[in-house]
Amino acid sequence: QVQVVESGGGSVQAGGSLSLSCAASGYKYAVPHIPHMAWFRQVPGKEREAVAYIYTLGGNTAYADSVKGRFAISQDKAKNTTILQMNKLDPEDTGMYYCAVKTGLGIFSWKEAAAYNYWGQGTQVTVSS
C-alpha cells in the first residue's frame, strides 16, 4: 500500500507563487522508483483536471495548456517525492490540488485520473485577485 501526502498549499495574491510537495511512501515494487507522478486540481462542481505530470524514470514532463510556462514539476527520485512550483498564479488556479501516483508501467494518458492508483488527500490553493 502506497501512502501519498501533499503539503504546501495556502493563500496567495494573483501574480504570486506557491510550491506544493508530494511524498509517497510504502512503495515496494521491482522498479526502484514510482514511475509516474502527477498533480490534478479540482474546484467544486467541476471534474478533476490534470495539471502536470512527470515520468520519474526518464524525467519527462507534461503540462496542461493553462499552466505551461508558469508551473514546473520536478522530482526527488530517491525519496519518491515530486514538487510543483507554481508561479504567476491566477485566481483561475484556485482549487484543491491532489497528487496522484501510478505504480505500474506501460502506456497511458497522463491526463486520465482513473489511470492513477494512489491519491493524496489534497491541499487547498487559493489565489485572490
Side-chain angles (χ1 to χ4, degrees):
Q1 189 75 9
V2 175
Q3 294 79 44
V4 180
V5 179
E6 306 98 337
S7 61
S11 298
V12 66
Q13 288 193 327
S17 298
L18 281 174
S19 181
L20 305 182
S21 178
C22 169
S25 60
Y27 177 71
K28 296 177 181 178
Y29 289 85
V31 177
H33 315 293
I34 292 175
H36 308 282
M37 301 183 79
W39 288 93
F40 286 71
R41 65 187 179 192
Q42 190 170 25
V43 295
K46 292 189 176 181
E47 290 190 359
R48 199 164 289 191
E49 172 193 21
V51 175
Y53 159 82
I54 187 164
Y55 176 57
T56 66
L57 302 183
N60 309 68
T61 59
Y63 298 92
D65 288 343
S66 60
V67 306
K68 280 181 182 176
R70 301 188 298 122
F71 290 14
I73 187 170
S74 59
Q75 62 174 317
D76 182 338
K77 287 191 292 187
K79 298 180 180 179
N80 281 324
T81 298
T82 182
I83 305 293
L84 183 67
Q85 178 64 40
M86 305 185 295
N87 299 320
K88 299 180 182 179
L89 283 161
D90 184 271
E92 292 290 313
D93 295 316
T94 294
M96 186 69 78
Y97 282 68
Y98 297 91
C99 181
V101 163
K102 174 174 163 54
T103 54
L105 298 174
I107 298 173
F108 74 109
S109 171
W110 74 271
K111 294 184 178 181
E112 184 60 51
Y116 298 86
N117 48 344
Y118 295 101
W119 291 80
Q121 293 298 308
T123 185
Q124 178 68 34
V125 171
T126 303
V127 185
S128 57
S129 57

